[in-house]
Amino acid sequence: MTQVTVRLCKQGDKVWRDFKAELGKRYEKAVMLDISESEAFSKIEKQEFNNRIVVSKKVIVEKRAVAGIDDSDILKTSVNNGLKKISKKRKEARAKYAPGIAEAASQCDTLTDIAKRIGKSTTFVKRVASEFEIKLPSRNNGHEEIASR
């Protein structure tokens, strides 16, 4: 487990300052600490608290440990790998539609005509056009489109 330093802990009328404890469980705004090895608490206090206390994340000195950024989070790498696979699939899908959009752009007058012909949304058509540098018509439903878009 990770050892963290607590600046201040109050329980009733007792106050403990600057003590070390093992990080147990993380909650949204608090953490559970294992105080069985901590020297700040007496044997009776440890039994009273059942070797565990819950303190606010704000009183912990090591912010990285309580934020969950330590290297023990294996879940993060699997989530990142999953997101990379999804983005790769989406890029492949956009590449599949690029030739059809390029052909439709040369034949159609408006962006909505291209989108209808391809069967996708206008935002998808714009994204593919910007990614593969396809020149789209300057008209959108009869209105001039702003050149910066």
Side-chain angles (χ1 to χ4, degrees):
M1 273 294 174
T2 310
Q3 194 171 43
V4 294
T5 307
V6 179
R7 277 187 262 141
L8 176 74
C9 178
K10 290 182 182 180
Q11 292 286 338
D13 59 341
K14 293 190 179 185
V15 177
W16 296 274
R17 293 183 184 275
D18 298 322
F19 65 92
K20 294 196 179 288
E22 295 288 324
L23 185 63
K25 191 171 181 183
R26 296 180 193 114
Y27 298 105
E28 193 172 330
K29 295 186 180 187
V31 290
M32 182 185 292
L33 301 173
D34 178 20
I35 58 170
S36 60
E37 302 296 320
S38 180
E39 297 170 3
F41 295 88
S42 69
K43 213 175 202 182
I44 296 169
E45 290 170 340
K46 289 179 185 178
Q47 286 176 346
E48 207 175 286
F49 296 132
N50 199 16
N51 289 330
R52 287 178 273 172
I53 59 169
V54 177
V55 296
S56 172
K57 283 184 178 180
K58 293 178 183 179
V59 299
I60 304 289
V61 176
E62 294 85 359
K63 298 296 182 194
R64 290 179 59 86
V66 295
I69 305 175
D70 55 355
D71 296 334
S72 65
D73 284 342
I74 298 167
L75 177 68
K76 283 187 175 183
T77 57
S78 63
V79 169
N80 285 341
N81 290 341
L83 291 173
K84 285 179 186 175
K85 285 181 184 176
I86 291 171
S87 66
K88 186 177 179 183
K89 284 181 182 178
R90 288 181 179 165
K91 189 170 187 172
E92 290 171 357
R94 288 194 299 268
K96 184 175 80 173
Y97 281 97
I101 290 174
E103 182 185 333
S106 64
Q107 296 173 356
C108 298
D109 292 337
T110 64
L111 183 63
T112 52
D113 289 342
I114 297 170
K116 285 179 186 174
R117 186 176 223 171
I118 299 299
K120 292 288 186 178
S121 67
T122 56
T123 53
F124 179 81
V125 171
K126 285 181 186 179
R127 187 177 298 129
V128 172
S130 67
E131 189 174 330
F132 294 98
E133 298 175 2
I134 299 171
K135 177 116 172 70
L136 293 175
S138 60
R139 293 172 54 89
N140 184 14
N141 284 346
H143 302 287
E144 289 296 320
E145 194 173 297
I146 299 170
S148 65
R149 285 191 194 169

